[in-house]
């Protein structure tokens, strides 16, 4: 299968693309390059040819000849949405719908969209794909809007699938330390202390980046009728954990690390997610990574590369810091398009 993957130079894209290549797919990447600075370690035996282009600038010609598009390239995480909410909508909502429309016009038959369990926002009990969405941030609202606007494009020639990923964790060559488990592991390694500013009672579903990559590969391999216009939560019930449990599990894998908690947080996001549908739709899918195994993996990586505090705290591995740097230095304009450099 000839597959176009957007965001191949990102946290998840740098994990997905090599696994697609290893399975024999013909892979081409698209990435605008915001996060090329964030290389943590060499971990990809083979990487695809990547086109340096903003998804907002893609044309039908760029997508012709592909069997599938896997769309991962959006502005990631809530702090960026708080900083530049209008641009988040421009890229994550309108840019993603634009890409899906181009893909359909170009004759691409499969479109796999990286949505998020964050669309559930605040929920009592366990939610599944039929539950109402309740997004609390610009990032999450954009995910829900893309699902809403791309679904009507589905027909006999164009088949979208929406993967609502739990919060990702785990090591990646293009590492992110601004997501919960990875951040806690970095603190445990560099400071030997996890000082939570909240009581850690909210629930979060987690999933390793390699399990997300596996779900994507299985969607691409599945019969079209099984995944056509389907929404699938990606994760496992085992990895529905409170933030307190995540912190305590991580701390236990880093000798000498102490963990403390604070008062209840003003952040009301809390939800547990059911993942039985993906196991029905994709027989054989199971998450291979849990929180403990992920913490062990990160500790081993940190030992191997001798992770220091400046790297952990640096802009290369924190999306908001890198975007702020690009804006402050004039490398991108107010809409996050690259500027012409002298």
């Amino acid at each position: 299968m000839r597959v176009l993957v957007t965001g191949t130079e990102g946290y998840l894209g740098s994990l997905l693309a090599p696994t697609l290549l290893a399975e024999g797919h013909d892979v081409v990447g698209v990435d605008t390059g915001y996060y090329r600075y964030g290389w943590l370690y060499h971990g990809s035996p083979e990487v695809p040819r990547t086109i340096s282009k903003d998804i907002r600038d893609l044309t039908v010609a760029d997508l012709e000849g592909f069997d599938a598009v896997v769309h991962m390239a959006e502005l990631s995480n809530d702090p960026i949405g708080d900083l530049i909410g209008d641009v988040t909508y421009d890229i994550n909502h309108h840019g993603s719908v634009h890409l899906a429309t181009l893909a359909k016009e170009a004759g691409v038959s499969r479109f796999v969209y990286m949505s998020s369990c964050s669309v559930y926002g605040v929920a009592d009990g366990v939610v599944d794909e039929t539950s109402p969405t309740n997004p609390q941030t610009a990032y999450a609202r954009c995910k829900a809007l893309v699902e809403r606007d791309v679904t009507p494009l589905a027909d006999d020639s164009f088949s979208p699938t929406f993967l609502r990923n739990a919060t990702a964790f785990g090591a990646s060559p293009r590492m992110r330390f601004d997501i919960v488990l990875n951040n806690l592991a970095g603190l445990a390694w560099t400071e030997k202390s996890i000082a939570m500013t909240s009581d850690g009672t909210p629930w979060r579903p987690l999933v390793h980046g390699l399990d997300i990559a596996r779900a994507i590969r299985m969607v691409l391999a599945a019969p079209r009728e099984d995944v056509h216009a389907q929404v699938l939560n990606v994760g496992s019930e085992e990895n529905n954990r409170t933030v307190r449990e995540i912190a305590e599990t991580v701390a236990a894998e880093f000798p000498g690390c102490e963990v403390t908690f604070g008062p209840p947080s003003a952040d009301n996001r809390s939800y547990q997610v059911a993942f039985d549908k993906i196991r029905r739709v994709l027989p054989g899918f199971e998450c291979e990574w849990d929180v403990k195994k992920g913490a062990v993996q990160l500790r081993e990586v940190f030992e191997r590369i001798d992770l220091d505090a400046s790297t952990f705290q640096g802009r290369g591995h924190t999306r908001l810091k890198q975007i702020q740097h690009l804006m402050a230095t004039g490398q991108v304009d107010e809409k996050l398009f690259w500027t012409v450099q002298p």
Side-chain angles (χ1 to χ4, degrees):
M1 182 179 286
R2 191 158 191 253
V3 185
L4 182 77
V5 179
T6 69
T8 42
E9 295 182 343
Y11 173 66
L12 294 176
S14 62
L15 292 174
L16 172 67
T19 68
L20 288 172
L21 290 167
E23 287 193 346
H25 295 285
D26 179 5
V27 182
V28 175
V30 172
D31 200 296
T32 193
Y34 294 149
Y35 308 121
R36 285 180 186 146
Y37 182 72
W39 189 266
L40 187 67
Y41 63 89
H42 177 69
S44 302
E46 186 178 9
V47 295
R49 177 177 69 88
T50 295
I51 301 167
S52 293
K53 203 166 189 179
D54 193 299
I55 62 167
R56 294 170 290 180
D57 290 331
L58 290 173
T59 66
V60 170
D62 292 315
L63 278 73
E64 289 176 342
F66 288 97
D67 303 301
V69 169
V70 178
H71 180 35
M72 315 182 87
E74 292 184 339
L75 292 178
S76 297
N77 80 12
D78 301 323
I80 291 178
D82 294 338
L83 174 70
I84 45 172
D86 56 336
V87 183
T88 296
Y89 282 94
D90 185 38
I91 295 174
N92 291 16
H93 176 208
H94 301 297
S96 295
V97 175
H98 167 70
L99 176 63
T101 304
L102 292 179
K104 182 172 181 175
E105 292 178 10
V108 178
S109 60
R110 297 281 190 103
F111 186 86
V112 184
Y113 176 66
M114 296 293 96
S115 189
S116 169
C117 284
S118 65
V119 299
Y120 298 118
V122 180
D124 294 325
V126 179
V127 293
D128 63 19
E129 292 85 350
T130 66
S131 301
T133 58
N134 188 19
Q136 301 293 300
T137 64
Y139 171 78
R141 285 191 288 272
C142 285
K143 295 293 189 185
L145 288 169
V146 173
E147 290 184 14
R148 182 199 70 183
D149 293 345
V150 173
T151 297
L153 298 178
D155 59 18
D156 291 342
S157 63
F158 184 71
S159 185
T161 305
F162 307 95
L163 298 184
R164 288 180 181 169
N165 300 314
T167 299
F169 69 90
S172 168
R174 298 282 186 180
M175 191 62 179
R176 286 184 61 185
F177 285 123
D178 53 2
I179 42 183
V180 59
L181 193 151
N182 296 355
N183 180 260
L184 295 175
L187 290 169
W189 176 261
T190 59
E191 299 183 12
K192 295 190 180 300
S193 173
I194 296 176
M196 300 292 296
T197 58
S198 71
D199 60 359
T201 56
W203 287 88
R204 292 286 188 275
L206 301 179
V207 64
H208 196 284
L210 290 174
D211 286 325
I212 294 174
R214 185 162 179 252
I216 293 167
R217 298 197 310 274
M218 292 184 72
V219 166
L220 293 175
R224 181 184 185 277
E225 60 271 18
D226 290 352
V227 296
H228 178 70
Q230 290 293 317
V231 175
L232 302 175
N233 293 333
V234 181
S236 66
E237 286 81 3
E238 178 185 12
N239 285 333
N240 277 320
R241 307 287 290 272
T242 66
V243 176
R244 174 181 286 268
E245 290 173 336
I246 298 167
E248 291 172 340
T249 302
V250 169
E253 299 306 320
F254 289 80
C257 178
E258 297 181 358
V259 57
T260 58
F261 297 93
S265 172
D267 185 350
N268 64 346
R269 291 173 300 160
S270 181
Y271 48 94
Q272 299 179 63
V273 179
F275 298 99
D276 53 307
K277 181 179 177 181
I278 191 171
R279 295 192 294 270
R280 294 196 310 270
V281 173
L282 302 176
F285 176 81
E286 294 287 347
C287 286
E288 298 179 350
W289 295 80
D290 61 16
V291 171
K292 175 181 172 66
K293 187 176 178 181
V296 170
Q297 180 202 35
L298 290 172
R299 188 193 70 234
E300 292 173 347
V301 168
F302 298 166
E303 289 174 349
R304 188 170 72 246
I305 67 171
D306 192 21
L307 178 72
D308 58 25
S310 62
T311 300
F312 166 60
Q313 297 168 359
R315 61 182 171 84
H317 309 295
T318 300
R319 294 295 185 251
L320 179 62
K321 290 180 180 179
Q322 175 64 3
I323 292 297
Q324 287 176 321
H325 170 77
L326 294 176
M327 295 176 70
T329 55
Q331 296 181 69
V332 296
D333 63 20
E334 69 280 1
K335 294 294 185 182
L336 296 192
F337 285 108
W338 291 104
T339 59
V340 177
Q341 297 297 309

